[in-house]
Structures are given as C-alpha cells and as structure tokens.
Amino acid sequence: MATHDACTLLDEEHNQVIRLFEQHKAARDDASRQLLAQKICRELGVHMQIEEEIFYPAFQRATGDQALLEDGIEEHDEARKLIAKIEEARLDHRLVLELEDAILHHVNDEREKMFPKARATQGLDLMALARALEERRSELTEGHPV
C-alpha cells in the first residue's frame, strides 16, 4: 500500500536511478559498469512504462496540459533510443553519460513543472495513483525484479 503520493513515489524512483548512475561512474571495472548499465536500463524501462500507462494519462485528464505531457513523452522517447544504443553497444560509457544527462533534464522538468501542477490540481487523487503505480510496477517486475 502506498505511503507516499504518486509524485513522491516517482521522484524516489528518479533518485534511485540517479544513485545507479553515480555508482556506474564510480565503478572500477567493466563488468561492474556493464551490470549497472543493465540495471539502469531496466529501471528506466519500468519507470517510463508506469508513468506513461498510469500517471501521464491521469495528469492530462485532470490538468488538460497536453504540452507538458508531450514533453515528457518526447523525453522518454529520447531515453529509449539511448537505452537501445547502450544495450547494443554494451560497454560505451559515453552513451551512459548521455543517458544520464537526458534523465537529469527529464527529472528536473517533472520536479519543476509536472509534479507541482499535479499536486495543485483538484480532483487528482495522487494517493490512489501511487497505489496503481506500485501495483503495475509489481506486475512488470514479477519474477525478475529490477
């Protein structure tokens, strides 16, 4: 059961991925870097999917803000392209850094624009959304946790 609202839950996931990027940069060997890059890609894949399936549609219905929604989806598309390159290239540290930059930009946009607007919007039940996000995350990671 969710103990935080949807914005806090999603931002905690942002912070987890940011910590993984830091661990990746600090890793001393290729095997560790590779494992961390894979984990980053899996975490981001699940995160983007639950945002797009649950949070973004609820946000758009409640706020009517199509521009912020489209911006978030475009940023997710950019991240997916970088993730595909990382998965194909295997040990390309430069691509992981490029993904980190894209994700930090996206996180900042959500923290500065989307989450404050979501919290200020009447009728947007962020606690119910958090429960739905957690449930969907569990479904997506069942049998193979991220």
Side-chain angles (χ1 to χ4, degrees):
M1 184 164 179
T3 57
H4 299 295
D5 73 23
C7 298
T8 301
L9 183 137
L10 292 170
D11 208 34
E12 286 176 354
E13 290 184 2
H14 293 155
N15 291 334
Q16 172 61 25
V17 170
I18 291 167
R19 284 190 292 274
L20 290 172
F21 280 119
E22 292 302 318
Q23 291 172 20
H24 183 272
K25 288 188 284 193
R28 299 281 183 226
D29 61 273
D30 287 345
S32 296
R33 282 190 202 99
Q34 180 62 29
L35 287 173
L36 286 162
Q38 290 170 347
K39 185 167 180 136
I40 289 165
C41 293
R42 282 193 312 270
E43 287 277 351
L44 286 172
V46 171
H47 176 81
M48 291 184 295
Q49 186 170 344
I50 65 174
E51 272 190 335
E52 290 174 6
E53 288 179 3
I54 297 166
F55 186 78
Y56 284 3
F59 175 85
Q60 199 280 328
R61 281 190 305 274
T63 66
D65 193 330
Q66 189 66 29
L68 272 180
L69 183 73
E70 288 174 5
D71 189 44
I73 290 170
E74 286 176 17
E75 291 172 348
H76 282 184
D77 289 344
E78 177 186 359
R80 281 189 181 92
K81 288 175 185 166
L82 287 167
I83 287 169
K85 288 180 182 177
I86 290 167
E87 290 172 341
E88 183 178 303
R90 291 288 183 212
L91 289 173
D92 190 332
H93 186 64
R94 180 189 53 79
L95 285 172
V96 176
L97 292 176
E98 193 175 332
L99 178 61
E100 179 184 29
D101 286 344
I103 294 304
L104 290 174
H105 174 81
H106 175 69
V107 166
N108 188 57
D109 279 353
E110 286 189 345
R111 285 178 177 164
E112 299 296 319
K113 300 172 187 169
M114 188 174 275
F115 293 165
K117 188 165 192 169
R119 287 190 170 114
T121 300
Q122 295 284 338
L124 186 56
D125 188 343
L126 294 174
M127 294 304 287
L129 276 177
R131 288 188 295 276
L133 290 164
E134 286 179 334
E135 183 178 306
R136 183 63 175 135
R137 171 177 268 287
S138 291
E139 290 170 3
L140 293 171
T141 59
E142 189 175 329
H144 45 81
V146 286

